[in-house]
Amino acid sequence: MKLIEERIVVPGEINAAVLRPVGDGPWPGVLLYTDIFQLTESTLRTARRLAAEGFLVCLPEIYPHGPLAGVALEFDDAGKQAGLDGAAARTTADFDADRVAVLDHLAARPDVSTLAVTGFCLGGHLAFRAAFDPRVEATVCFYPTGLHNGALGADTADSLARAADVRGRLMIVFGSRDPHVPAEARLATITQLYAAGLTDLELHVYQGGEHAFMRDVGARYDPELTDLALASAVSFFRGR
């Protein structure tokens, strides 16, 4: 499927990439949150794969204000530190306000039919919070960090405490060898989700999967697990 890619500025001065199939649509819309490195070519390649399945995919910068606006960080120690510093400079309320702006934009587009959300790492945590919006029909969180302890930005997020606010379908994907979300963190997360009544969610723990196993740069990349995870997400978004 041929795609159209464009860069836009969502109201609120949020830089974003939008990828969609050629044609008039409408298509199911997917808000895709990046990891801490922002709009890298690696994440854009993943977005292209989703868009080619018949979705309109919108990738906003997670640090749209300040020194990292417009910056795609390198996958090195300096880039990692800059991304972590960017997160530390933002409050949960900041992230939430940007989410509302992007979802409002997508909901108003005539070429978008429904809303879904996904994200990776810190973006997986942001995707979980986006599921609080009743307009979001399905959410897929890939190895979300900080759900178990509220680590997100400058303050402690109340994400799991608000788990009962999730109304759409929810899928979470973990890697079994993820040091950022080890077994005890996964157990704590799942326990709290079940306690909140989210007993019908879909859970995957991929054996051997490391943190960021879907990032197609570096030694952690697992192409087989990536294909499996993306196929599962597409199927989930389509409602099977």
Side-chain angles (χ1 to χ4, degrees), residues 1-7 16-21 27-35 38-60 118-120 142-143 214-216 221 226 230 233-234 237:
M1 182 178 293
K2 291 186 177 181
L3 303 176
I4 294 175
E5 299 186 24
E6 59 181 338
R7 295 296 178 110
V18 174
L19 301 85
R20 61 177 174 83
W27 300 277
V30 178
L31 164 55
L32 190 158
Y33 281 113
T34 71
D35 57 20
Q38 298 222 97
L39 299 183
T40 63
E41 276 300 315
S42 176
T43 301
L44 287 168
R45 285 191 289 270
T46 300
R48 291 177 190 121
R49 292 184 65 176
L50 280 176
E53 293 287 345
F55 298 97
L56 183 149
V57 184
C58 178
L59 300 83
T118 190
F120 303 86
F142 291 109
Y143 35 87
M214 298 176 71
R215 184 194 303 151
D216 63 357
Y221 177 52
T226 296
L230 285 174
V234 168
F237 285 145

Side-chain angles (χ1 to χ4, degrees), residues 173-187:
V173 176
F174 296 113
S176 67
R177 298 180 183 174
D178 187 341
H180 300 286
V181 194
E184 58 271 22
R186 299 194 299 268
L187 179 60

Side-chain angles (χ1 to χ4, degrees), residues 27-224:
W27 300 277
V30 178
L31 164 55
L32 190 158
Y33 281 113
T34 71
D35 57 20
I36 62 171
F37 298 94
Q38 298 222 97
L39 299 183
T40 63
E41 276 300 315
S42 176
T43 301
L44 287 168
R45 285 191 289 270
T46 300
R48 291 177 190 121
R49 292 184 65 176
L50 280 176
E53 293 287 345
F55 298 97
L56 183 149
V57 184
C58 178
L59 300 83
E61 289 186 338
I62 58 175
Y63 309 133
H65 314 293
L68 294 182
V71 177
L73 297 169
E74 296 293 331
F75 297 125
D76 55 19
D77 289 343
K80 178 180 178 181
Q81 190 58 56
L84 293 173
D85 291 345
R90 307 214 73 205
T91 65
T92 302
D94 292 334
F95 286 122
D96 287 349
D98 289 347
R99 171 239 300 165
V100 171
V102 177
L103 286 176
D104 284 351
H105 168 77
L106 286 173
R109 291 182 65 119
D111 53 0
V112 169
S113 57
T114 57
L115 294 180
V117 184
T118 190
F120 303 86
C121 186
L122 181 144
H125 191 157
L126 294 177
F128 182 87
R129 294 189 66 81
F132 301 156
D133 192 307
R135 296 172 293 182
V136 175
E137 297 185 5
T139 300
V140 177
C141 305
F142 291 109
Y143 35 87
T145 55
L147 272 182
H148 66 291
N149 61 7
L152 182 62
D155 51 10
T156 300
D158 60 351
S159 304
L160 280 185
R162 292 186 57 190
D165 290 340
V166 175
R167 293 288 181 265
R169 295 176 295 113
L170 176 65
M171 171 176 158
I172 302 180
V173 176
F174 296 113
S176 67
R177 298 180 183 174
D178 187 341
H180 300 286
V181 194
E184 58 271 22
R186 299 194 299 268
L187 179 60
T189 298
I190 294 166
T191 299
Q192 292 184 71
L193 291 175
Y194 271 53
L198 300 185
T199 56
D200 196 34
L201 75 164
E202 183 164 326
L203 297 168
H204 299 259
V205 180
Y206 289 155
Q207 184 178 18
E210 299 184 57
H211 189 68
F213 68 81
M214 298 176 71
R215 184 194 303 151
D216 63 357
V217 175
R220 300 179 195 173
Y221 177 52
D222 190 317
E224 185 174 4

